Amino acid sequence: MDTDHITDLWSRVVGAQPAPSLWLVIATGVLALGTVVPRTAWRLSRNAVTIAHEGGHGLIALVTGRRLDGIRLHSDTSGLTVSRGKPTGIGMVLTAAAGYTAPSLLGLAGAALLASGHITALLWGATALLLAMLVMIRNAYGVLTVVLAGAAFFLVSWLTTPHVQAAFAYAVVWFLLLGGVRPPFELMGKRRRGSAGDSDPDQLARLTNVPAALWLGLFHVVTLCSLIGGGQWMLGL
């Protein structure tokens, strides 16, 4: 690849693309909602939220100086991230708190990129994050789901028209923002039934002596505020 091609590729990635029409933004939001609300669709689409959830645990573990041993993703949409380091302290607290907030915060960051016209940068950035996560996956199902997700982002960014890229990017960001809201509500229901005794809020309660209900409330605040803020950015409000 010569210098001109490299320059063109770099300009394509970091440059801004024209904003799509408002109807496309709304249509992709409705499409994303259709993958989150119906129970049947959610059973499949929740795998993508799990990737973001466990990826959030893993990323913050590394940022805070912990050693990341591996990530597992399971077909029942559960996951497990294992890290080593000091069992208490701010690093462990942030790592435990990152999971339920990660999909929504990633969606919020994606909405900021889309609002500034950086559609291709979002697609390539997502591909890079999934590739980095793939190195830490420790089971076959996890490898399959991350490879398929990464391939989808790459192929869309490389082979499709700008209009298709925009539709895909907006649908993904809407999905992260909407899909990030549902898991805390699901966890709240499980805790009421007494079937989530070792959930992230319970681990945080043991680490901080702050009640698990308050941590769960924080997750609700982060996910709902991210949806409102990210939605406003993408709709141009």
Side-chain angles (χ1 to χ4, degrees), residues 6-7 20 30 33 55 71-72 78 120 126 148 189-190 203-204:
I6 294 175
T7 302
V30 172
L33 191 64
I71 299 172
R72 291 179 176 271
S78 65
T120 305
L148 289 177
K190 290 180 180 179
Q203 294 180 34
L204 287 163

Side-chain angles (χ1 to χ4, degrees), residues 152-220:
F153 277 97
F154 176 75
L155 292 174
V156 168
S157 67
W158 192 257
L159 299 178
T160 64
T161 64
H163 187 76
V164 174
Q165 291 178 22
F168 181 80
Y170 273 84
V172 167
V173 172
W174 274 122
F175 173 76
L176 288 172
L177 292 171
L178 292 164
V181 172
R182 183 163 178 172
F185 282 101
E186 292 179 332
L187 179 59
M188 184 169 61
K190 290 180 180 179
R191 295 189 76 252
R192 286 176 178 172
R193 296 189 297 270
S195 60
D198 197 34
S199 65
D200 291 354
D202 294 290
Q203 294 180 34
L204 287 163
R206 293 194 293 270
L207 288 167
T208 63
N209 292 321
V210 175
L214 290 182
W215 283 107
L216 185 55
L218 175 64
F219 296 162
H220 283 303

Side-chain angles (χ1 to χ4, degrees), residues 14 40 50 60 64 81 95 127 132 159 172 190 208 219 223 228:
V14 301
T40 302
T50 302
I60 299 303
T64 57
T81 299
T95 299
T127 305
L159 299 178
V172 167
K190 290 180 180 179
T208 63
F219 296 162
T223 57
I228 294 170

Side-chain angles (χ1 to χ4, degrees), residues 101-121:
T101 58
S104 294
L105 293 178
L106 285 172
L108 187 64
L113 284 173
L114 294 181
S116 59
H118 291 93
I119 297 171
T120 305

Side-chain angles (χ1 to χ4, degrees), residues 13 20 41 45 63 69 79 83 95 124 144 148 186 189 213 222 229 233 236:
V13 173
S45 64
V63 168
D69 283 349
S83 64
T95 299
W124 280 55
L144 176 63
L148 289 177
E186 292 179 332
V222 171
W233 286 345

